[in-house]
């Protein structure tokens, strides 16, 4: 009994440690004071001010555009690459995976400097294109790491069975393989999207003049003091991500139940 109570208390403390900063940020987004050390009453003025701040809205536009674009492209490339890697022989597959994992394990500052040097070498002007390519570069490995486990969970000779029953390779891929690995593809997309929004170091080295995302904008604000509008924006982004996760988990649960009923 005491052991179970201790485990529950330990779990509660861990979650409190993880989410207390987020709850504090949400709370002070409604604070009437610019200082996060003093509570002066409830207000919505920072949310109104947020939608009138063109600089933050521009940074948000670039952030969402780059995140969505790089996540979609990374998901397509990563999914196709995962299928190709899965079909390789063991030794070649291990070598390819080790190379694929380098952008994940490599320090961000090394990746950022390397990409900046590469773009300079090929005379690609730093800007929106270079930023998008950089985010695709570190997004693809996360998609591969999400999709490959789902491919390994597939029954052996599933594709051969479909071909024996008259399906073409493309039909088997579209109607059998893709639906079964769809949770991995969705997880890879969310990972690439989240990592893109969260990235600062690589973006800092590859963005160039005239293009900035939220992480760079917040970094520039930190020198003068973080504006309360950032708290409001962070709260809205947290709520959007939370709602998306709830919808995806609900949809996944329903699909899992339907598949169980079919089998």
């Amino acid at each position: 009994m005491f052991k179970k109570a201790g485990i529950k208390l330990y779990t509660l403390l861990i979650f409190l440690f993880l989410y207390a900063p987020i709850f504090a940020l949400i709370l002070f987004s409604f604070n009437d004071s610019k200082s996060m050390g003093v509570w002066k009453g409830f207000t919505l003025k920072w949310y109104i001010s947020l939608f009138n701040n063109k600089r933050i809205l521009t940074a948000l536009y670039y952030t969402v555009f780059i995140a969505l674009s790089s996540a979609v492209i990374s998901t397509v490339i990563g999914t196709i690459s995962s299928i190709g890697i899965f079909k390789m022989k063991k030794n070649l597959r291990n070598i390819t995976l080790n190379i694929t994992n380098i952008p994940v394990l490599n320090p961000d500052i090394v990746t950022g400097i390397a990409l900046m040097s590469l773009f300079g070498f090929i005379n690609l002007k730093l800007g929106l294109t270079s930023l998008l390519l950089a985010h695709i570069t570190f997004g693809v490995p996360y998609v591969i790491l999400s999709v490959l486990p789902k491919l390994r969970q597939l029954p052996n000779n599933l594709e051969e069975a479909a071909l024996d029953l008259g399906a073409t390779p493309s039909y088997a891929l579209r109607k059998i393989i893709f639906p079964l690995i769809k949770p991995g593809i969705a997880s890879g997309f969310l990972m690439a999207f989240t990592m893109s929004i969260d990235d600062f170091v690589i973006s800092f080295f590859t963005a160039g003049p005239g293009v900035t995302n939220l992480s760079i904008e917040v970094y520039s604000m930190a020198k003068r003091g973080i504006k309360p509008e950032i708290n409001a924006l962070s709260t809205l982004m947290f709520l959007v991500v939370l709602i998306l996760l709830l919808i995806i988990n609900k949809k996944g649960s329903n699909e899992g139940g339907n598949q169980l009923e079919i089998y």
Side-chain angles (χ1 to χ4, degrees), residues 157-172:
N157 302 323
L158 178 65
E159 188 175 357
E160 286 81 356
L163 296 177
D164 290 340
L165 293 173
T168 61
S170 61
Y171 185 88

Side-chain angles (χ1 to χ4, degrees), residues 108-160:
D108 285 349
I109 190 169
V110 176
T111 303
I113 294 174
L115 287 171
M116 182 183 66
S117 301
L118 174 64
F119 295 146
F121 178 75
I122 62 176
N123 293 323
L124 177 63
K125 185 178 180 181
L126 296 182
L128 185 62
T129 302
S130 62
L131 184 61
L132 178 60
L133 291 175
H135 282 231
I136 293 171
T137 300
F138 68 76
V140 170
Y142 288 100
V143 177
I144 293 176
L145 291 175
S146 298
V147 175
L148 264 180
K150 292 298 179 181
L151 288 169
R152 292 182 179 132
Q153 292 174 7
L154 296 180
N156 294 328
N157 302 323
L158 178 65
E159 188 175 357
E160 286 81 356

Side-chain angles (χ1 to χ4, degrees), residues 19 22-23 25-26 232-245:
Y19 290 100
I22 297 177
F23 292 143
L25 182 145
I26 293 173
L233 177 61
S234 300
T235 300
L236 294 176
M237 293 177 67
F238 172 77
L239 292 176
V240 169
V241 171
L242 179 62
I243 292 171
L244 285 176
L245 286 175

Side-chain angles (χ1 to χ4, degrees), residues 45-74:
K45 67 180 182 180
W46 304 123
Y47 289 87
I48 298 173
S49 178
L50 168 65
F51 291 102
N52 292 324
N53 192 319
K54 293 183 179 180
R55 186 167 179 175
I56 294 180
L57 292 180
T58 300
L60 176 63
Y61 165 77
Y62 281 120
T63 301
V64 174
F65 175 78
I66 291 293
L68 282 175
S69 302
S70 63
V72 170
I73 298 173
S74 297

Side-chain angles (χ1 to χ4, degrees), residues 1 14 43 71 75 80 100 117 140 142 152 170 179 185 192 201 223 240 257 261:
M1 178 178 178
I14 292 296
T43 183
T75 302
I80 296 173
T100 302
S117 301
V140 170
Y142 288 100
R152 292 182 179 132
S170 61
I185 296 174
V201 177
K223 300 176 182 179
V240 169
E261 292 176 2

